[in-house]
Amino acid sequence: MADININTVNKYYGDVHVIKDVSLDIKSQSFTVLVGPSGCGKSTMLRMIAGLEDINSGTISIDGQVVNDLPPKQRNIAMVFQSYALYPHMTVFDNMAFGLKLEKRSKDEINERVQEAARILQIEDYLHRKPKQLSGGQRQRVAIGRAITRKPKVFLFDEPLSNLDAALRVQMRVELAKLHDQLNATMIYVTHDQTEAMTLANDIVVLDEGIVSQNGSPMDLYHDPNNLFVGGFIGSPKMNFISTKITSKSSDKTEVDLMGSAKISIPKTSASASEGDAVQLGIRPEHLTVNADSDGSWESKVFVVEKLGSGTFLYLEKEGEPLVVETEGDSNIKVGDTVKVGFSASHCHLFDSSQQAFK
Amino acid sequence: MSILDISLIVCLGIVSFILYFHISNYILDFFGNNNLKRIKFENSIRVLIFIAPACIILFIFILYPVFETIRLSFYDKFGREFVGLYNYNWAVNDPEFKRSIFNNLAWLLVVPTLSTFFGLIIANLADRIWWGSIAKSIIFMPMAISFVGAGVIWKFIYEYRGPGDTQIGLLNAVIVSFGYEPQAWLTIPIWNNFFLMAIMIWIQTGLALVIFSAALRGIPKEMIEAARIDGASELKIFFSIIIPFLEQTILVIWTIITILVLKIFDIIFAMTNGEWQTGVLANLMYDWMFRGGGDSGRGSVLAIVIMIGVFPIMAWNIYKHKQEQKI
Amino acid sequence: MNKVSLRSILSQLLLLLFVIIWILPTFGLFISSLRDKDLLAISGWWSALTTTNVNEIYRMQGMDEQNQADNYFIITDNLFKKNSGKKIETFGITSKKINEFKVGEVAIFKDKSTVTVNEDGLYIWKSENEFTKKKGKRLFITASSPPSFTFDNYKEVLFQEGIGQAFVNTIAVALPSTLIPLIICSYFAYALTWMQFFGRDTLLAIIIASLVVPLQMSLIPILTIYNDFGALFGVAAKSYPGVWMAHTGFGLASTTFLLRNFIKSLPNEMMEAAKVDGASHYDIFLRIIIPLSIPAFASIFILQFLWCWNDLLVGLVFLDQVPSEIILTAKLKELLGSRGENWEILTTGAFVSMTVPLFIFFALQRYFIRGLVAGSVKG
Ligand SMILES: Nc1ncnc2c1ncn2[C@@H]1O[C@H](COP(=O)(O)OP(=O)(O)OP(=O)(O)O)[C@@H](O)[C@H]1O
Ligand SMILES: [Mg+2]
């Protein structure tokens, strides 16, 4: 229905350069998630697509039409805000009908569309209430309902779930995924919660200080982070990083020092790397196994044990660098124990001094 | 004019403004289209529709008069011939002007101080007494009354009858009951100023009171409780916690009352009309506006002197505003 | 514990003292306006609250009222108005001995006519000879007078002294002078907050500066403009629309300032949601800003209305001081000058002028206070 093309867009607030040469192609009917740490420019990106913020240079086009100068109402989009932004003096029905009334739709059509949206979101019983009389989750549904009734080509969500408690967030997440299937619309979704990003997205765009760090499917980002930032950002708990050095390099492998005498040979290379370079070795906690010998291994003392029932996190320390291990089930390892953790070379990531990943 | 006529023009006056906004916006929407270039143009027209009436009025009633008054102050009484500093020269040498300045200064010194002081005390007293809000209402009430109305009320307090007669003024009745001679309070130079100031204090204390009450509610309870646990006396708490906390508020109230007092006119006009040496700048200006057909030059000089009085406050306000914009 | 309660009692007493001092003047005015106008000028208002002894002089009826019965000529009447509630204790027939006789005793004049006075004021004046004087003789009485109140003053003031007309005039001045700036400034404040245009910040700074510009600065030039305008178009220079616009001009800065502060406090995202929903600035203004600003409007309405209602200077300068245009405060001031001794007119007039403010005050105090606290600085 609607492709969105963003072409070398820049945005300044006064002297502050918040969006730097961002180019993106968002495919029709995809669910694209913008993630990144706080202040990286996610909301700004979204608001530029919505038309709420001017663009300093570059172009944004929807369905091939450049929309830089179009006001929001002519872009055929709908937006759901973090604070819901419901109109407090209107009932739920009027909130959802507001856009339609402005389009001067007929009464019947308005009624029909609002009822339909209410049915999808299961808020039919609250239509006569004011926003004040609703719970946070219900308000969020109304905010989404307000977007749905207008049948836009593009839905924009700015951290819609961040004001909800954890359980509700999971529930709404599922419903949003369902909604996307039902509506077949393009959705762009901003969050700084990487779990939401991983579960909802067809496509994740990682923003870092106004630059697109990486853009791809969730699994691409998980398995093949382009750089240290994406590696660290995607995945929970965070990827472990260990500073080390390249000891030797071949055409398809790079060997690095494993602190102590051991070395490990990782099947990734980088053209710019050379022997003796300092690099960061990255391994995800779930790829470390306790008391197993593999391509590489360390021995270390356990400082903290966190039991979650489904799994256990062990916090170790290696040469002053913290190391997290995720094991399955209830482990009987205690604080103070020394354990050996092993990992396979194929699970290792390498990042050079400019934080770029070895491929 | 009958009541019907009056209500008709009242309605007409109000409705015409509503219609202006409604019709102009409607026309704009009606001719509006989605052409890209037109959007920007339409937006500017919309801004114009929104701000034009206010801007025009602002210009005619505030901005232009400020400059015109400054110009007139250098012209003769009809505003026709340039006379240089003649009017200023007159003012500096005029004994009435000097007295007015002196009286204005006295007002500026006494009224804001005492109003703020009483307001602060009453706010603190009323804050912890169950009938405090009723007390606050009563003390606040004069705020709703006109200065002239207050003048009549207080004329009744200061009323003077000869020594043998029954005093119908409260103040003299009290004095006489203690065995003193009754006084014609408003005709005793110098002192009469203070009797007039009492009226203003009576009115403005309410203002200080409500603003202080609102501010007092903002003081964290824990802070005071902590001090109490540390063994601080109530007086100590008042001076070392409450007063510093209210510093900003005190300043705000002080400024508001100062501005009011600078242009005080009604009370004096109604009570003494500036006689018995009670005149202030605003009264003197009114006199010169209408005395002998009016003297716009001298009147303007007096207006400018009042303006100079508020100037520091104006500069401070703008400075503060600029600071806030930055955040 | 003891110390605390002592302090509490002391502070209650202190507050009570303040309250009494503050309420007394207004209370006195109110009582006075309800008193008989003759008493008003000869005794303090506080004496009306208790039963007091008053010394009064009355003149009996003259020869026209005499009747003849049993060889006597009789004049009889009551000294007091109906239901005055006064009780006579003693009376006299010369100014030197005003307490000469007790109630019921018979007093004999030099001409041999006799008079008896009852407690309730009824007197019987008898003479063997026909009364020949147009005026009757004087009686000096000492009576106890219970508190008594009347609305006579209000009737007189409202319908004979022109205060009623002035009241209507004041409404005709104050209502438009409040609503017009409210209408204009709400659009203005909206534009200053949510619209982008060149010079917005400068305009805002000008508004802030104008907040404190004394209205004296504007009087002379505006009066000149009005005079020129009137002469040019052959209309009256002083008129209601002129006052409305003057009040609008002088209230513009503070109204705009307060409204802008309020509109600015509304959530940003809500406006943006409306924009995305397809609302134009006018839609947002009408359907979102206006309904949400009602409490702010109430506060500002009250402030500006009271200001206009209580204003003297603007009404004095921009209106003719004729019955069809004079406002209450100007009327009161006029009465203060010309009828300074007619206390019943003054007190009652003042109280009439205070009715509307006091009503607003007691009914809408919350909004009034909110408006003031929002930082009202009036130019
Ligand atoms: N109106 C503004 N004026 C100046 N700077 C702004 C403005 N709005 C945002 N910024 C700055 O632009 C940067 C990006 O802001 P943005 O709101 O897009 O962050 P974000 O990624 O949405 O963060 P969060 O996750 O906290 O919502 C931030 O550094 C912010 O301080
Ligand atoms: Mg954000």
Side-chain angles (χ1 to χ4, degrees), chain B residues 226-241:
Chain B
R228 238 175 237 147
I229 290 167
D230 289 348
S233 71
E234 292 296 315
L235 225 57
K236 177 101 182 145
I237 290 176
F238 183 75
F239 282 106
S240 55
I241 295 181

Short mmCIF file of all heavy atoms in Angstrom, two decimals, chain B residues 226-241:
data_model
loop_
_atom_site.label_atom_id
_atom_site.label_comp_id
_atom_site.label_asym_id
_atom_site.label_seq_id
_atom_site.Cartn_x
_atom_site.Cartn_y
_atom_site.Cartn_z
N ALA B 226 11.13 17.80 59.85
CA ALA B 226 12.53 17.47 60.14
C ALA B 226 13.13 18.52 61.06
O ALA B 226 13.82 18.20 62.02
CB ALA B 226 13.32 17.38 58.84
N ALA B 227 12.81 19.78 60.77
CA ALA B 227 13.35 20.86 61.60
C ALA B 227 12.82 20.76 63.03
O ALA B 227 13.53 20.97 64.00
CB ALA B 227 12.99 22.22 61.00
N ARG B 228 11.53 20.40 63.11
CA ARG B 228 10.93 20.27 64.43
C ARG B 228 11.59 19.15 65.23
O ARG B 228 11.87 19.28 66.41
CB ARG B 228 9.43 19.98 64.28
CG ARG B 228 8.62 21.03 64.97
CD ARG B 228 7.16 20.85 64.76
NE ARG B 228 6.62 22.06 64.17
CZ ARG B 228 5.62 22.11 63.32
NH1 ARG B 228 5.03 21.00 62.93
NH2 ARG B 228 5.21 23.25 62.86
N ILE B 229 11.86 18.05 64.55
CA ILE B 229 12.53 16.93 65.21
C ILE B 229 13.91 17.35 65.67
O ILE B 229 14.38 16.97 66.74
CB ILE B 229 12.60 15.72 64.25
CG1 ILE B 229 11.19 15.17 64.07
CG2 ILE B 229 13.54 14.65 64.80
CD1 ILE B 229 11.05 14.20 62.94
N ASP B 230 14.56 18.20 64.85
CA ASP B 230 15.87 18.70 65.25
C ASP B 230 15.77 19.69 66.40
O ASP B 230 16.79 20.20 66.86
CB ASP B 230 16.56 19.38 64.06
CG ASP B 230 16.99 18.36 63.03
OD1 ASP B 230 16.96 17.16 63.36
OD2 ASP B 230 17.34 18.76 61.91
N GLY B 231 14.56 20.01 66.80
CA GLY B 231 14.40 20.87 67.97
C GLY B 231 14.35 22.35 67.68
O GLY B 231 14.54 23.16 68.58
N ALA B 232 14.10 22.73 66.42
CA ALA B 232 14.02 24.15 66.11
C ALA B 232 12.71 24.73 66.65
O ALA B 232 11.68 24.08 66.59
CB ALA B 232 14.10 24.37 64.60
N SER B 233 12.78 25.95 67.16
CA SER B 233 11.56 26.58 67.66
C SER B 233 10.73 27.06 66.48
O SER B 233 11.24 27.19 65.37
CB SER B 233 11.91 27.76 68.56
OG SER B 233 12.43 28.80 67.77
N GLU B 234 9.45 27.32 66.75
CA GLU B 234 8.57 27.77 65.67
C GLU B 234 9.10 29.04 65.00
O GLU B 234 9.04 29.19 63.79
CB GLU B 234 7.16 28.02 66.22
CG GLU B 234 6.44 26.77 66.66
CD GLU B 234 6.16 25.80 65.51
OE1 GLU B 234 5.70 26.26 64.45
OE2 GLU B 234 6.42 24.60 65.70
N LEU B 235 9.59 29.95 65.84
CA LEU B 235 10.10 31.20 65.32
C LEU B 235 11.30 30.96 64.41
O LEU B 235 11.45 31.54 63.35
CB LEU B 235 10.50 32.10 66.49
CG LEU B 235 10.05 33.55 66.36
CD1 LEU B 235 8.55 33.63 66.17
CD2 LEU B 235 10.50 34.36 67.57
N LYS B 236 12.14 30.05 64.87
CA LYS B 236 13.33 29.71 64.11
C LYS B 236 12.93 29.08 62.77
O LYS B 236 13.51 29.40 61.72
CB LYS B 236 14.15 28.72 64.95
CG LYS B 236 15.38 28.21 64.26
CD LYS B 236 16.61 28.94 64.75
CE LYS B 236 17.83 28.42 64.00
NZ LYS B 236 18.81 29.45 63.76
N ILE B 237 11.93 28.21 62.83
CA ILE B 237 11.45 27.58 61.60
C ILE B 237 10.93 28.64 60.64
O ILE B 237 11.23 28.63 59.45
CB ILE B 237 10.33 26.56 61.92
CG1 ILE B 237 10.93 25.35 62.64
CG2 ILE B 237 9.62 26.13 60.66
CD1 ILE B 237 9.90 24.35 63.09
N PHE B 238 10.19 29.59 61.21
CA PHE B 238 9.61 30.64 60.38
C PHE B 238 10.70 31.43 59.66
O PHE B 238 10.63 31.66 58.46
CB PHE B 238 8.76 31.57 61.24
CG PHE B 238 8.07 32.65 60.47
CD1 PHE B 238 6.96 32.36 59.68
CD2 PHE B 238 8.54 33.95 60.51
CE1 PHE B 238 6.34 33.35 58.96
CE2 PHE B 238 7.91 34.95 59.78
CZ PHE B 238 6.81 34.64 59.01
N PHE B 239 11.72 31.81 60.42
CA PHE B 239 12.71 32.69 59.81
C PHE B 239 13.74 31.95 58.99
O PHE B 239 14.26 32.48 58.03
CB PHE B 239 13.40 33.54 60.89
CG PHE B 239 12.55 34.69 61.33
CD1 PHE B 239 11.93 34.67 62.57
CD2 PHE B 239 12.32 35.76 60.48
CE1 PHE B 239 11.13 35.72 62.96
CE2 PHE B 239 11.52 36.81 60.86
CZ PHE B 239 10.92 36.79 62.11
N SER B 240 14.06 30.71 59.34
CA SER B 240 15.14 30.07 58.60
C SER B 240 14.64 29.06 57.59
O SER B 240 15.42 28.58 56.76
CB SER B 240 16.13 29.42 59.58
OG SER B 240 15.45 28.54 60.41
N ILE B 241 13.35 28.73 57.59
CA ILE B 241 12.86 27.83 56.56
C ILE B 241 11.78 28.49 55.71
O ILE B 241 11.88 28.58 54.49
CB ILE B 241 12.31 26.52 57.19
CG1 ILE B 241 13.46 25.77 57.85
CG2 ILE B 241 11.64 25.67 56.11
CD1 ILE B 241 13.05 24.49 58.47
#
